[in-house]
Amino acid sequence: MSIGHDTDDLAHGTTPLSLPSLTGCAQALSVTRYNSLPDPFGKWTTMVYHLRLVSDQTGLIEIWADGKKISKTEGIVGFKPFLAKESQYFKFGSYRNHAEFATVTRLDHYVRSEQKADVDPDGTLAPP
């Protein structure tokens, strides 16, 4: 286990996850864990996210790292916005609780699209 990872491997591992008391935007979620996140220190990690952020049970978040499926979350993962659609925005970066080490996010070959073929044309970054 690398420095900075949880000692009980809850956030990064395949330990079963129970979400019984969530309210608001994140409720009625089903989380399936497939693999642990790779150690991100000292190397590039290729991340792929598939998001369907909607306010009903068809919501979906899938995550791959270095070609391995990490997790799938299904359920209510979106919300009904109070503002007009034009006021919504996409934001990405290092968001976490304070750590005893510096965190830096660098993006290389960033792609955002509504089509998987634009992000992963040969199917190696996010295999089934």
Side-chain angles (χ1 to χ4, degrees):
M1 187 168 296
S2 299
I3 188 168
H5 280 69
D6 303 275
T7 57
D8 54 6
D9 206 23
L10 287 176
H12 305 291
T14 55
T15 304
L17 183 63
S18 176
L19 305 170
S21 62
L22 295 175
T23 60
C25 300
Q27 54 184 300
L29 293 177
S30 169
V31 178
T32 305
R33 294 179 175 195
Y34 300 100
N35 291 288
S36 296
L37 284 168
D39 187 338
F41 295 98
K43 68 176 189 70
W44 285 95
T45 302
T46 300
M47 300 293 299
V48 177
Y49 302 90
H50 174 213
L51 308 171
R52 183 171 49 237
L53 304 176
V54 294
S55 59
D56 61 32
Q57 289 296 329
T58 64
L60 178 68
I61 299 173
E62 293 178 293
I63 301 171
W64 291 263
D66 291 337
K68 292 173 107 178
K69 193 164 191 176
I70 303 301
S71 67
K72 176 172 69 173
T73 301
E74 299 173 284
I76 300 171
V77 294
F79 68 100
K80 294 180 181 175
F82 297 105
L83 302 172
K85 185 176 181 178
E86 292 78 29
S87 297
Q88 300 298 308
Y89 64 94
F90 179 78
K91 188 174 180 179
F92 184 86
S94 297
Y95 301 98
R96 59 170 291 127
N97 294 334
H98 174 74
E100 297 299 321
F101 50 88
T103 59
V104 177
T105 300
R106 292 187 175 112
L107 302 177
D108 186 34
H109 301 291
Y110 171 79
V111 179
R112 180 176 179 221
S113 177
E114 293 184 10
Q115 304 295 320
K116 182 182 179 194
D118 295 339
V119 176
D120 187 15
D122 59 4
T124 58
L125 300 178

